[in-house]
Amino acid sequence: FKNCKRVSSGMSEMSDYLKNEINEAVANLTKDIAALSHETLSKCWGESSRCAYDYLYEVGIVNHRVACRVKGEEPGPMPWKFGEEWLKAPSEFQSKEKVTEFLTSTGAAIAEGIGEDPTRKVKVGENEQSVYSLVSFAAMHTMYHDAQLNFIQEMQGDMAVHW
């Protein structure tokens, strides 16, 4: 609870809150990446499971798409058929340094795009969503996949909290 603070209804405070949420989610994730070996991040834990690099790549792609949206840009088509297949990380992405760099840059891009009015609506497909809801989703999605890393750490006997 070290970063908890009272958020007032002001737009600036809401923007600061969202920037903190996405920055902290990415920072926590990258600390957990650092705590795992390349071999562990590369391992598939079952026949139909993905390795950690695959879902970390997904986090980066989703965060890139959110960053584009909050900046008013079109991110292009989805790079995979959501619900039918899973995104696979390209081989050049499968290193701790590359994944950390990608996640850090996409998280920073989201924070930069928040602006002063996070209640403003941006186009998402044929609909509109608030910047607030998109950034909240990105932070939640990032922490969701961080929990997968935490589970892998526990399966290997690492009970430490790395962030």
Side-chain angles (χ1 to χ4, degrees):
F1 300 107
K2 64 181 184 214
N3 291 321
C4 291
K5 59 184 173 186
R6 188 166 186 268
V7 178
S8 73
S9 61
M11 291 299 151
S12 179
E13 289 86 359
M14 193 183 299
S15 292
D16 290 346
Y17 171 80
L18 285 174
K19 289 173 187 174
N20 184 62
E21 285 298 293
I22 192 62
N23 288 333
E24 191 168 326
V26 171
N28 291 346
L29 181 62
T30 59
K31 288 174 187 171
D32 282 324
I33 292 167
L36 292 164
S37 70
H38 168 74
E39 292 73 29
T40 299
L41 293 167
S42 301
K43 182 177 179 177
C44 288
W45 296 85
E47 282 185 37
S48 64
S49 70
R50 302 185 286 168
C51 75
Y53 284 125
D54 291 338
Y55 56 79
L56 294 170
Y57 184 64
E58 175 193 317
V59 171
I61 292 295
V62 168
N63 285 356
H64 167 75
R65 294 179 64 77
V66 169
C68 287
R69 298 282 188 204
V70 300
K71 292 178 178 182
E73 302 167 0
E74 173 58 45
M78 287 285 285
W80 79 99
K81 295 176 186 166
F82 185 77
E84 295 178 32
E85 63 186 5
W86 293 112
L87 190 59
K88 296 282 289 172
S91 58
E92 63 272 10
F93 179 81
Q94 295 188 20
S95 80
K96 290 172 67 167
E97 295 77 22
K98 289 286 186 189
V99 70
T100 298
E101 179 183 301
F102 185 48
L103 293 167
T104 301
S105 68
T106 57
I110 291 172
E112 290 168 12
I114 292 170
E116 290 301 314
D117 181 9
T119 65
R120 78 181 188 286
K121 303 287 186 183
V122 294
K123 191 130 175 83
V124 179
E126 297 302 314
N127 301 310
E128 290 186 335
Q129 276 188 276
S130 70
V131 168
Y132 186 91
S133 68
L134 287 170
V135 176
S136 294
F137 168 77
M140 180 275 306
H141 182 250
T142 300
M143 292 303 293
Y144 171 89
H145 288 295
D146 191 19
Q148 289 178 295
L149 293 184
N150 294 154
F151 183 64
I152 291 169
Q153 290 166 346
E154 288 181 19
M155 288 192 307
Q156 295 186 315
D158 180 357
M159 301 302 288
V161 176
H162 297 281
W163 37 270

